[in-house]
Amino acid sequence: MLYKFRQNLNQSLGAIAVTLLCGLAIGFVQLPQLNQLSTKAKTALPEQLNKEVEAEKLRLNLFHKVPGFGFNNLVANWVFLGFAQYFGDDPARQITGYNISPEYFEIIIDRDPRFREAYFFLSGSSSLYAGMPERSVALMEKGLKSLTPQTPPKSYYVWRYKGTDELLFLGDAQAARKSFEKAAEWASTYSDPESQNVVAISRQTAQFLAQNPNSKFAQVGAWTMVLQNAVDARTRKVAVSRIEALGGKVVITPEGQVKVQLPERD
């Protein structure tokens, strides 16, 4: 047993070593270009930031090429940390935009399609900020092929993110309705209150869209989900403004809870 444990350990360490060597080899080939792009040039700030974005593109290209050897989930986690740093740099993103956001998630979904939490950030960053809802939806469709109602737990949220993007950013009410129906179907396999609430609101949204493809109720409901899950003030501000533009109203209760009132008419 001890021998077998050592053998497995050696194999694991060997795989890690090979992965690192592959990454170093690729990095060595592109090192001059990376160094050139990463050097702080004595130029205008926008030009410098654009060079840093180009350097990040090269880094992401490395992750596309490096084999996982059974550690794909670690690669996905590492890339997600890089995305968090990229997305969180507000001053830089105001200048360069968010155009490479989908590149992070293409790697993440290829490496670990069951990384459920990543899909929410994919939707927000790629659809709302980068203006690439088609890419966002395509990546979610790709990832969903590896998901089931129970794996990962509560994966029905991915269908809701997909439906939200289809409704709010693609204007595809029919596709959105199908996604919300699928979210309700998957959520119905759980008995906890959170999941049952998702069943109810997903079915309701699907019914709104079936009756009226341009339903304001459905759009307000989708923006409400964006508002409730927002991780930054910018997203909350956008969601509130869109809800109010549709005739809805955002109310803060004395307890600090956020409640959304639907428009008077659909």
Side-chain angles (χ1 to χ4, degrees), residues 1 34 38 55-56 86 88 91 100 111 147 168 171 192 234 236 242 249 254 258:
M1 182 176 293
L34 282 169
S38 298
E56 184 66 1
Y86 167 84
I100 66 171
R111 301 282 185 164
L147 308 187
L168 300 181
D192 63 282
R234 295 169 299 168
R236 287 190 288 272
R242 298 294 176 87
K249 187 176 181 181
V258 178

Side-chain angles (χ1 to χ4, degrees), residues 60 64 76 79-80 83-84 86-87 98 100-113 115-126 135-136 139-140 142-143:
L60 292 173
H64 274 298
V79 172
F80 183 79
F83 161 76
Y86 167 84
F87 185 76
Y98 297 81
I100 66 171
S101 291
E103 304 302 326
Y104 290 96
F105 293 98
E106 183 172 354
I107 297 169
I108 292 169
I109 291 173
D110 282 344
R111 301 282 185 164
D112 186 9
F115 188 172
R116 195 200 82 192
E117 292 78 5
Y119 288 90
F120 171 73
F121 291 92
L122 161 63
S123 174
S125 65
S126 299
R135 186 88 179 274
S136 177
L139 286 171
M140 282 188 270
K142 183 178 183 179

Side-chain angles (χ1 to χ4, degrees), residues 150 154 156 186-197 199:
Q150 301 292 328
K154 299 186 177 180
Y156 51 76
W186 283 26
S188 66
T189 63
Y190 296 83
S191 59
D192 63 282
E194 177 187 355
S195 301
Q196 289 303 305
N197 182 56
V199 172

Side-chain angles (χ1 to χ4, degrees), residues 187-255:
S188 66
T189 63
Y190 296 83
S191 59
D192 63 282
E194 177 187 355
S195 301
Q196 289 303 305
N197 182 56
V198 169
V199 172
I201 60 177
S202 297
R203 284 178 177 166
Q204 184 182 55
T205 302
Q207 288 170 1
F208 286 151
L209 292 173
Q211 296 166 3
N212 177 13
N214 299 314
S215 171
K216 291 181 180 179
F217 292 167
Q219 293 178 60
V220 167
W223 278 116
T224 299
M225 188 185 76
V226 174
L227 175 61
Q228 292 173 339
N229 291 280
V231 295
D232 62 283
R234 295 169 299 168
T235 303
R236 287 190 288 272
K237 185 177 180 180
V238 170
V240 170
S241 66
R242 298 294 176 87
I243 289 170
E244 293 176 344
L246 288 164
K249 187 176 181 181
V250 179
V251 178
I252 308 296
T253 68
E255 294 78 20

